[in-house]
Amino acid sequence: MAFDVGTFFYLPLLLLIPLIWLGIRRIGLAIGPSRAWLATGIRSALMVLVVLALSDLQFGWLSDQVSVVYVVDQSASVSHQTQAAMVDYATRSAARDRNDHRRDLAGLVTFAADARIEMPPDELGLPRSSAAASLPRNVNATNLEQAIDLATAAMPPNSRRRLVLMTDGRTTDGNASKAATRASQHGIGIDVVPIAETASNDVALERLDLPATVDAGQDFSGRLVARYTTADVNHPIQGNLSITQSAFGQKRIILSESIQLAPGKNVLPFEHRIDSPAMATFTAEFIPNDRREDRHRKNNEVSSFMQVGGASRTLLIENPQRAGEFAMLTNWLRQNQIDLDVRSSDTAFDSIAELMAYDSVILANVPRAGGGRADQIGGLSERQAELLVQYSQQFGAGLLMIGGPDSFGAGGWRGSAIEQAMPVDFDIKNSKVRAVGALLLVLDSSGSMGGQKLQLCKAAARSAIETLGTNDYVGIVTFDGDAEEVIPLQQVKDRRRMYPAISRIQADGGTNLYPAMQIGYAKLSRIQAMVKHMIIVSDGNTQPGAFQTLSERMNADGITVSTLAIGGDADRNLLNQIATVGQGKFYAVQSPRAIPRIVMHESRRIAKPLIYEVAEGMAPLESFPHPIVHSIGRLPPINGLVLTTPKQSALVQNLLMSPQPEYQDHPILSVWTYGVGRVAALTTDAGQRWATGWEASADAKNLWLQLIRWLKRPASGHQQFQVTTRWNDGEIEVVVDVLDFADLPLELLRFQAAVVGSDLKPISMQLRQVAPGRFRGTVPMTTPGSYFVNVITEEAQPPIVRGVNVPFGAEYATTGTELSLLDEIVRKRPAGGSPGILASPIRLSAQPQVEINHYRGGLAEQSALRDVWPWLILASCFLFLGDIGTRRLDLRRHFVATRHRPQIEAAVDKQSCADVVARPQIFRAVNQDQDDQAPESYVDRLLAAKRRTRRRSEPDRKTNA
């Protein structure tokens, strides 16, 4: 029998047992030698049991329990009927063969692109029905390796274990064979129950072949590869084929016609031409006339990228509320051969593919959230901002932000991805520059605000806090029947500590706005800030209050108020009145989804102190030599700018500085390299408000031209490199061919590559030399979608950008059962056991029969360790009582006193029986056996002599008397 000790920390206490035996002689003098030996032995055993219990002693024995986990394929290559049949097979197998006496376990794991435990191994078996097929999951891939690993981890190690794989064996991710080897090394057997799908017709568009790059206006040829699978080789399929081109956010159908696909492989060529530079996306789709002849729909579509080269282009994004604001600048740039496109921020772009046509992007006084009325709230979304940053950082495009009242920190960009990419921080970190604002949010938390409305209000509060500077003040007051100060008005020093308080806001109770406004007014009136603003959000009718008087007092103290009325039940008249008197804005919001953007837009009011204006003007000072300011003379003064702080980085170059305000350097023009792209920040405007003198200045116009040209992505100098990309067998493959390596040392060539998908997270790829002048790299990818691959050869060179599309066809491209893989898995012998069994395939034509007992033997016996400390503690309790009884109770004396009571009474005159029993020497005088067992001590002999003397002297005392 095996045993184990959980901790050895308490075992040294056993060394104290000899100390217990050292006191046995002293104990024997009090209770006698025999009882002393017994008591010491009991106490020693008690200590051993307690120490072993503290050490978590475990004993093990061989277990005959069997654990079986059924692993069921739920990927798209398996029909729903077959999935239900597999679950039914597993249920009937567990019900028939599981041994209740052995306490056998049964569990269920389902898998597709990932695996999950539907039911952990349990003694109750499997339920008659399973909801596994109805739960949402990614069914576009099959990862059998992950399923085997998860099922292995789910089984208890102290039982004999077996997996039952129920799949077609067609994996798209992972290495199932390696996972099966790992399981067998742990003594886990594997049975396989394959499935045999009924043959059905299916059309799959396998790939769309296009040239990687073409020049604008150049004709090119492409071809579509389609495969039609059918049992009837003489039966073609009729349908409509369309090919769509997407570029600049617009879609155009370039081909649409009725075609006939023959069984097997079909190659369909086409020709086309694109006149403008772009990263164009082509999508081909086939729709059969009879949808019943096509089993899968998702493999009827395939996409591909093509880069159309041409002259360098620049995209200028402007505020839709200020359309035409930069008309003078754009005209000047176009006159100087700068190819410029102007777009509104609400329709600028939706993907990196649309940005690929441009070498640089200009954000011209664009706010983070713009607009006036609730239905006009616009501006760049967070995702668009992230796309711009990634486009510059990963793909080498230039990025410029031009100042204005709606730009930088004044435009609500603090805490955004744009701020991270800029060479300046949008916050003022010098305490002597008094650019402080105070924002107080008054949020309705009544019962009617429950659900989506309150969640969006919380999100709006978090977004507003993110846009504030560290010197700004923020507070949140909620109201239902009562008002509560959730976040006391304080400086934004640590935003993370504020978020938990926002998350704890709950919706309940009635609606009473007036006390919340009173609290907000009292807090704001005590704060020393240049701008004080209150935002009220409510969806109901509030109790009466002196709102007119309170709003007038707030206006008199310089506190502005804006209000949001959510839905038709809100008191719009009251909220509109408060906003009008409070010199703010009133928003009638129909959709709660507009709340975050409106609150963010209103929170920009307290950023007004970031705008610094001087009527007499400030002359820009050149502070750093750079190609942008080369040969630029003295620039005309400017009347204002948005205050920023240069980032503390050696890469930042501050080219133009402002002489005011004092106490801190405030850049007018700063540049740096962010990733592989060039980024610039111009904190003044283009002449509409602050730099009006630049419109007629030749030096200023040259500054604009040199700035835009510096920002542009350098022209590709990689004519000696050819980059091709493709998706094949679950991997994105990148091949770089060096076309002319006569002057290039191949041993020194290093390539950096990355794959960027819709989540904007780059996946690094290593390119290794596989032949002279050829470098190759792969990265696993089965998630359908569009991906960009950028390859960098040298730090000074722009990346080479290519596109690749991962189709849905990975899971649908093949048919039938992969018996070779399943046979390889089932042949693996578990440690100490026998190989598994390959059962007959499950067919829908008949109810699947359970032919194999998956709870049979043939597995290595496992030892099960169990805790014994509860039994040790119980035994210790009994020994503890025995130890007390042995020391305190002398049953032998009681027996002697009862048996020889008459002799004792006759032998001892005038002494009670209890006194006699209490004295061991009287027992020895009456019972000779007692003397033989316990020798007299020295004290006993003295006492006996004293009593004898006393008896002899008694007759003499009587005579004298």
Side-chain angles (χ1 to χ4, degrees):
M1 180 179 291
F3 70 91
D4 186 32
V5 177
T7 175
F8 293 90
F9 179 77
Y10 300 100
L11 291 182
L13 295 177
L14 296 176
L15 299 177
L16 299 177
I17 294 179
L19 299 179
I20 299 177
W21 287 91
L22 292 177
I24 189 172
R25 180 174 178 81
R26 182 177 60 82
I27 299 174
L29 294 177
I31 63 175
S34 59
R35 290 172 58 202
W37 280 88
L38 179 60
T40 304
I42 292 177
R43 181 160 292 186
S44 300
L46 174 63
M47 187 168 187
V48 171
L49 294 180
V50 172
V51 170
L52 292 179
L54 292 174
S55 301
D56 192 16
L57 180 65
Q58 294 178 318
F59 280 104
W61 56 88
L62 294 179
S63 173
D64 60 351
Q65 184 185 55
V66 179
S67 299
V68 175
V69 173
Y70 298 87
V71 184
V72 179
D73 191 343
Q74 299 264 298
S75 63
S77 62
V78 182
S79 65
H80 294 300
Q81 296 84 352
T82 304
Q83 293 175 12
M86 290 189 292
V87 174
D88 179 66
Y89 176 96
T91 302
R92 290 189 292 107
S93 171
R96 190 192 74 170
D97 299 325
R98 192 177 57 84
N99 191 321
D100 291 330
H101 179 71
R102 291 187 318 212
R103 303 174 65 183
D104 288 345
L105 308 177
L108 179 64
V109 169
T110 62
F111 70 98
D114 53 6
R116 63 184 175 208
I117 300 175
E118 301 293 345
M119 183 173 180
D122 190 86
E123 297 178 13
L124 299 178
L126 299 179
R128 281 294 176 183
S129 62
S130 174
S134 62
L135 297 176
R137 72 190 315 160
N138 180 10
V139 299
N140 297 314
T142 303
N143 193 332
L144 184 55
E145 178 185 17
Q146 186 182 118
I148 295 175
D149 289 340
L150 181 62
T152 299
M155 289 190 289
N158 55 1
S159 64
R160 293 182 290 174
R161 297 168 290 174
R162 178 175 284 115
L163 300 179
V164 180
L165 304 184
M166 308 175 70
T167 176
D168 56 9
R170 289 154 44 193
T171 64
T172 60
D173 288 346
N175 191 319
S177 180
K178 290 184 178 180
T181 301
R182 291 193 295 268
S184 62
Q185 291 173 349
H186 288 86
I188 301 176
I190 301 179
D191 287 346
V192 174
V193 181
I195 58 176
E197 289 279 10
T198 304
S200 59
N201 300 342
D202 186 55
V203 174
L205 302 187
E206 295 186 344
R207 67 180 187 271
L208 181 61
D209 295 332
L210 297 170
T213 60
V214 297
D215 294 330
Q218 175 185 352
D219 294 332
F220 65 90
S221 299
R223 65 173 189 169
L224 173 67
V225 179
R227 183 177 297 275
Y228 177 44
T229 303
T230 179
D232 186 0
V233 295
N234 296 319
H235 178 68
I237 186 172
Q238 303 283 341
N240 183 78
L241 174 66
S242 63
I243 300 179
T244 305
Q245 169 197 319
S246 300
F248 309 114
Q250 299 178 350
K251 294 184 178 181
R252 174 189 171 194
I253 299 177
I254 64 173
L255 176 66
S256 180
E257 61 181 26
S258 296
I259 63 170
Q260 175 178 288
L261 296 179
K265 184 177 181 179
N266 297 261
V267 179
L268 307 173
F270 66 95
E271 293 186 355
H272 188 55
R273 181 178 65 184
I274 300 179
D275 296 325
S276 301
M279 176 64 77
T281 304
F282 291 84
T283 303
E285 182 181 13
F286 177 79
I287 300 177
N289 295 339
D290 187 356
R291 295 185 179 273
R292 294 174 299 178
E293 296 184 354
D294 187 15
R295 174 182 173 185
H296 297 298
R297 304 274 181 87
K298 290 186 177 181
N299 61 354
N300 288 15
E301 183 177 306
V302 65
S303 300
S304 184
F305 287 103
M306 185 177 66
Q307 188 168 10
V308 183
S312 176
R313 303 174 69 189
T314 298
L315 173 65
L316 187 144
I317 302 174
E318 64 178 2
N319 190 340
Q321 305 301 320
R322 302 172 183 264
E325 181 181 11
F326 293 86
M328 186 173 294
L329 175 62
T330 56
N331 292 334
W332 167 252
L333 294 177
R334 286 168 178 165
Q335 290 173 8
N336 288 270
Q337 288 73 48
I338 301 294
D339 193 353
L340 188 72
D341 287 347
V342 179
R343 293 191 185 182
S344 174
S345 60
D346 53 358
T347 60
F349 59 92
D350 293 320
S351 65
I352 288 184
E354 296 180 42
L355 292 172
M356 283 294 177
Y358 303 101
D359 291 325
S360 59
V361 180
I362 302 175
L363 287 178
N365 194 26
V366 176
R368 191 175 186 177
R373 301 194 310 271
D375 58 350
Q376 293 179 340
I377 295 299
L380 288 182
S381 66
E382 296 297 322
R383 175 168 176 77
Q384 287 178 309
E386 293 177 357
L387 286 173
L388 275 180
V389 171
Q390 289 290 331
Y391 185 50
S392 177
Q393 182 185 24
Q394 299 289 333
F395 299 96
L399 179 61
L400 168 64
M401 175 172 274
I402 301 178
D406 294 329
S407 189
F408 294 100
W413 288 106
R414 280 185 290 199
S416 65
I418 294 292
E419 183 183 21
Q420 296 178 7
M422 286 292 146
V424 294
D425 290 326
F426 298 168
D427 198 6
I428 304 302
K429 301 181 179 179
N430 191 333
S431 59
K432 295 184 179 180
V433 179
R434 190 167 171 265
V436 177
L439 174 67
L440 195 135
L441 300 176
V442 180
L443 305 179
D444 188 348
S445 61
S446 61
S448 61
M449 286 288 292
Q452 183 189 36
K453 288 188 284 188
L454 186 60
Q455 295 301 321
L456 290 171
C457 284
K458 294 180 182 180
R462 297 188 190 97
S463 299
I465 292 175
E466 290 176 358
T467 63
L468 302 181
T470 55
N471 293 326
D472 293 329
Y473 289 84
V474 67
I476 298 178
V477 177
T478 60
F479 66 93
D480 43 33
D482 301 312
E484 179 184 0
E485 194 173 11
V486 176
I487 297 180
L489 194 61
Q490 58 187 286
Q491 284 187 309
V492 188
K493 295 297 184 183
D494 190 352
R495 295 174 172 85
R496 293 175 298 178
R497 293 185 178 181
M498 299 180 180
Y499 297 150
I502 297 174
S503 301
R504 289 191 292 267
I505 298 176
Q506 300 293 329
D508 191 19
T511 305
N512 192 0
L513 170 61
Y514 188 73
M517 284 187 64
Q518 285 183 311
I519 294 176
Y521 169 58
K523 296 295 182 180
L524 286 173
S525 61
R526 301 190 188 103
I527 294 297
Q528 297 296 323
M530 297 181 65
V531 177
K532 304 176 184 180
H533 188 55
M534 178 185 292
I535 302 175
I536 300 174
V537 182
S538 180
D539 73 335
N541 290 299
T542 180
Q543 298 180 18
F547 293 102
Q548 177 77 18
T549 303
L550 182 58
S551 300
E552 291 175 351
R553 291 170 56 191
M554 294 174 66
N555 185 29
D557 290 343
I559 302 173
T560 57
V561 184
S562 293
T563 58
L564 280 75
I566 306 174
D569 296 332
D571 193 341
R572 296 188 177 185
N573 293 331
L574 174 62
L575 295 177
N576 190 15
Q577 175 188 352
I578 294 174
T580 302
V581 177
Q583 299 296 312
K585 283 190 175 182
F586 166 71
Y587 297 88
V589 180
Q590 297 297 331
S591 172
R593 295 183 179 275
I595 295 175
R597 303 204 67 130
I598 297 175
V599 172
M600 186 182 298
H601 170 68
E602 282 297 314
S603 65
R604 286 168 37 205
R605 287 175 176 263
I606 70 167
K608 288 183 178 179
L610 293 175
I611 298 176
Y612 185 79
E613 295 179 316
V614 178
E616 59 272 17
M618 302 171 289
L621 303 177
E622 183 176 341
S623 60
F624 193 89
H626 195 274
I628 295 176
V629 294
H630 179 67
S631 300
I632 300 297
R634 185 176 181 85
L635 294 170
I638 61 174
N639 297 105
L641 75 161
V642 183
L643 298 180
T644 58
T645 303
K647 278 189 168 71
Q648 298 299 316
S649 172
L651 297 176
V652 175
Q653 298 172 334
N654 300 308
L655 309 186
L656 298 177
M657 302 297 294
S658 171
Q660 299 181 39
E662 300 178 353
Y663 309 114
Q664 184 175 351
D665 294 332
H666 293 282
I668 296 177
L669 178 59
S670 294
V671 298
W672 75 338
T673 300
Y674 187 68
V676 294
R678 296 173 175 179
V679 181
L682 182 68
T683 58
T684 190
D685 61 8
Q688 298 75 21
R689 178 173 178 176
W690 299 327
T692 54
W694 287 20
E695 296 180 358
S697 170
D699 288 326
K701 293 180 178 179
N702 290 333
L703 175 68
W704 279 111
L705 289 175
Q706 293 177 182
L707 174 59
I708 301 302
R709 288 168 179 165
W710 177 83
L711 281 172
K712 287 185 177 181
R713 180 168 41 203
S716 177
H718 304 302
Q719 289 81 8
Q720 68 271 43
F721 302 120
Q722 178 178 326
V723 178
T724 57
T725 60
R726 68 167 184 164
W727 180 86
N728 182 40
D729 198 20
E731 292 182 330
I732 292 179
E733 180 185 39
V734 179
V735 177
V736 178
D737 289 310
V738 182
L739 303 180
D740 183 10
F741 51 85
D743 299 328
L744 293 176
L746 295 181
E747 65 276 5
L748 299 179
L749 276 180
R750 296 292 184 272
F751 293 95
Q752 300 178 19
V755 177
V756 181
S758 57
D759 59 358
L760 303 182
K761 296 180 180 178
I763 303 174
S764 299
M765 177 188 302
Q766 285 189 331
L767 299 181
R768 295 184 174 87
Q769 188 171 1
V770 295
R774 167 163 288 198
F775 296 79
R776 179 182 179 273
T778 60
V779 61
M781 187 61 63
T782 57
T783 304
S786 301
Y787 297 86
F788 289 97
V789 178
N790 59 331
V791 180
I792 302 176
T793 56
E794 299 176 7
E795 294 184 359
Q797 294 290 339
I800 306 174
V801 180
R802 295 291 183 268
V804 63
N805 186 271
V806 177
F808 280 101
E811 181 65 23
Y812 313 93
T814 58
T815 58
T817 303
E818 190 64 36
L819 289 177
S820 59
L821 174 62
L822 300 180
D823 185 66
E824 178 186 354
I825 291 175
V826 83
R827 290 178 180 273
K828 296 184 183 296
R829 180 184 297 273
S834 303
I837 298 177
L838 182 64
S840 300
I842 294 178
R843 302 180 184 276
L844 291 180
S845 56
Q847 184 180 23
Q849 300 297 321
V850 181
E851 303 175 350
I852 302 173
N853 180 5
H854 300 294
Y855 287 86
R856 68 188 184 278
L859 298 174
E861 295 181 333
Q862 302 290 333
S863 60
L865 291 175
R866 293 191 178 181
D867 294 327
V868 296
W869 65 265
W871 299 101
L872 296 177
I873 294 296
L874 180 62
S876 300
C877 294
F878 286 109
L879 288 179
F880 180 70
L881 295 177
D883 180 44
I884 296 175
T886 302
R887 294 172 182 273
R888 300 299 181 186
L889 301 177
D890 192 349
L891 299 179
R892 183 178 55 195
R893 289 183 183 179
H894 178 73
F895 172 75
V896 172
T898 304
R899 181 178 179 182
H900 301 285
R901 190 178 188 90
Q903 293 89 332
I904 295 174
E905 292 176 349
V908 183
D909 185 32
K910 297 181 181 181
Q911 293 190 9
S912 66
C913 181
D915 293 336
V916 174
V917 173
R919 300 185 181 185
Q921 64 271 23
I922 297 180
F923 278 99
R924 290 191 291 271
V926 177
N927 191 346
Q928 187 64 35
D929 296 337
Q930 182 73 7
D931 294 332
D932 296 339
Q933 296 177 8
E936 291 183 329
S937 64
Y938 176 73
V939 176
D940 292 336
R941 292 197 299 271
L942 287 178
L943 292 175
K946 183 177 181 179
R947 285 191 289 271
R948 287 195 298 272
T949 302
R950 191 176 290 171
R951 293 192 202 99
R952 287 195 296 269
S953 62
E954 285 183 357
D956 295 337
R957 288 198 300 270
K958 292 179 181 180
T959 302
N960 295 334

